[in-house]
Amino acid sequence: MNRSVPSLLSAAALLVGSLWPLQAHALFDDDEARKAIIELRNKFDTHSQSTAASLSRMAQEVRDSQATTQRSLLELSNQNEQLSGEIARLRGQNEQLAREVSELQRQQKDAQAGVDARLRQVEPVPVSLDGREFTASPEEKRDFDATMELLRRSEFGPAAAGYAGLLRRYPDSGYTPSVLYWLGNAQYANRAYKESIESHRRLATQFPDHPRTPEALLAMANSQIELKDSKAARRTLENLIKVYPRSEAAAAGRERLARLR
């Protein structure tokens, strides 16, 4: 814009310069003509100065506008940088909050798992054994199952000790009738016949309606036979046949009683 103003002035000067020799030659003696030319040149000079001033003002306005635009762009750039920094800061906070929430959720999950595990350790579990339904603590069930495993491996001494321990630790357990039955069997296998008789008698006395009671009476008679107490064995078998006549143990007891006679 600044370069255009001098160019315009130069062009105008060249135009006047090209016209002036012709007009001066033709009208040299004409005062009116000279006055007109002088007046024309003065108007041209005035117009040129006015045009130059206008162009200068326009150029300054453009420069001012450009400066204002640059300042606006700079301010906008600074604002964008500030916004970018704020967004980055907020994103960092969000990521930190997300990590904290994830950690809290993990801790809550671990805590809940720990509570569930502790509850499982003490919460009663349903048990179905020898035709009976009852509940027992997880620890009690584990102890009974472990003792039964000893019996299955024919470790009769440790099994007998395990059953006796169960009776002491869980005196009111739903396992008690079955424990007495298997305790008597483990004692019989160890040839502890008197102890076996006592265990089976306790079962028959305390739990006469238990499915294992007829078998316990038959096992009692076997222990009495091993002790050469035929009279006691006969009474036990007669009682078995009388009280539980339809049981499989009673059928075996009849055969055993016939041999005793």
Side-chain angles (χ1 to χ4, degrees), residues 145-164 182-183 185-191:
D145 292 342
T147 305
M148 289 298 298
E149 185 60 28
L150 292 174
L151 188 67
R152 293 187 188 97
R153 296 201 300 262
S154 299
E155 299 180 22
F156 302 116
Y163 291 126
W182 293 112
L183 173 59
N185 286 354
Q187 291 166 334
Y188 180 88
N190 283 330
R191 298 184 180 182

Side-chain angles (χ1 to χ4, degrees), residues 118-148:
R118 287 191 292 272
L119 287 176
R120 285 194 296 270
Q121 291 176 356
V122 299
E123 187 176 1
V125 295
V127 177
S128 177
L129 181 65
D130 293 335
R132 297 296 176 89
E133 305 288 337
F134 57 93
T135 59
S137 69
E139 182 182 9
E140 182 181 357
K141 185 177 185 303
R142 285 194 300 269
D143 289 348
F144 178 81
D145 292 342
T147 305
M148 289 298 298

Side-chain angles (χ1 to χ4, degrees), residues 3-260:
R3 289 193 299 270
S4 62
V5 173
S7 300
L8 182 60
L9 293 176
S10 300
L14 289 174
L15 177 61
V16 172
S18 62
L19 293 175
W20 169 247
L22 294 176
Q23 293 176 347
H25 179 73
L27 303 174
F28 182 75
D29 295 329
D30 192 338
D31 292 337
E32 293 298 329
R34 286 197 301 272
K35 291 180 181 179
I37 291 172
I38 293 171
E39 184 178 355
L40 178 61
R41 291 187 63 181
N42 290 336
K43 289 182 179 180
F44 178 79
D45 291 341
T46 301
H47 179 72
S48 297
Q49 293 174 358
S50 176
T51 301
S54 298
L55 292 175
S56 178
R57 285 195 303 273
M58 291 175 62
Q60 185 61 41
E61 289 176 358
V62 170
R63 287 194 295 271
D64 292 343
S65 176
Q66 290 176 341
T68 301
T69 301
Q70 290 178 350
R71 285 195 299 272
S72 298
L73 290 175
L74 181 60
E75 292 176 358
L76 182 60
S77 176
N78 292 335
Q79 291 176 359
N80 286 338
E81 290 181 0
Q82 293 176 357
L83 287 175
S84 297
E86 183 67 16
I87 291 172
R89 186 181 66 81
L90 292 175
R91 184 180 293 113
Q93 290 181 349
N94 288 338
E95 291 176 353
Q96 179 63 28
L97 288 174
R99 287 193 294 269
E100 292 177 357
V101 169
S102 178
E103 178 63 19
L104 288 174
Q105 290 175 339
R106 185 191 66 77
Q107 293 176 358
Q108 183 179 14
K109 184 177 179 180
D110 291 344
Q112 185 62 46
V115 171
D116 292 343
R118 287 191 292 272
L119 287 176
R120 285 194 296 270
Q121 291 176 356
V122 299
E123 187 176 1
V125 295
V127 177
S128 177
L129 181 65
D130 293 335
R132 297 296 176 89
E133 305 288 337
F134 57 93
T135 59
S137 69
E139 182 182 9
E140 182 181 357
K141 185 177 185 303
R142 285 194 300 269
D143 289 348
F144 178 81
D145 292 342
T147 305
M148 289 298 298
E149 185 60 28
L150 292 174
L151 188 67
R152 293 187 188 97
R153 296 201 300 262
S154 299
E155 299 180 22
F156 302 116
Y163 291 126
L166 286 169
L167 293 175
R168 288 192 303 271
R169 289 193 301 274
Y170 312 107
D172 300 321
S173 172
Y175 283 109
T176 297
S178 299
V179 169
L180 288 170
Y181 175 75
W182 293 112
L183 173 59
N185 286 354
Q187 291 166 334
Y188 180 88
N190 283 330
R191 298 184 180 182
Y193 301 121
K194 291 182 179 181
E195 291 81 357
S196 177
I197 290 171
E198 181 58 30
S199 297
H200 287 145
R201 179 180 287 117
R202 182 178 169 186
L203 170 59
T205 301
Q206 294 181 3
F207 306 97
D209 60 344
H210 193 272
R212 292 288 186 181
T213 298
E215 298 176 31
L217 290 174
L218 182 61
M220 273 181 63
N222 291 336
S223 295
Q224 291 163 343
I225 291 171
E226 293 292 340
L227 292 173
K228 310 301 182 183
D229 190 352
S230 300
K231 184 177 180 180
R234 197 164 23 264
R235 287 197 302 269
T236 300
L237 292 171
E238 289 173 349
N239 184 52
L240 166 62
I241 295 168
K242 178 181 178 182
V243 178
Y244 307 100
R246 297 183 180 180
S247 65
E248 294 181 4
R254 292 186 184 94
E255 295 178 1
R256 193 73 48 85
L257 184 60
R259 289 199 298 269
L260 285 176

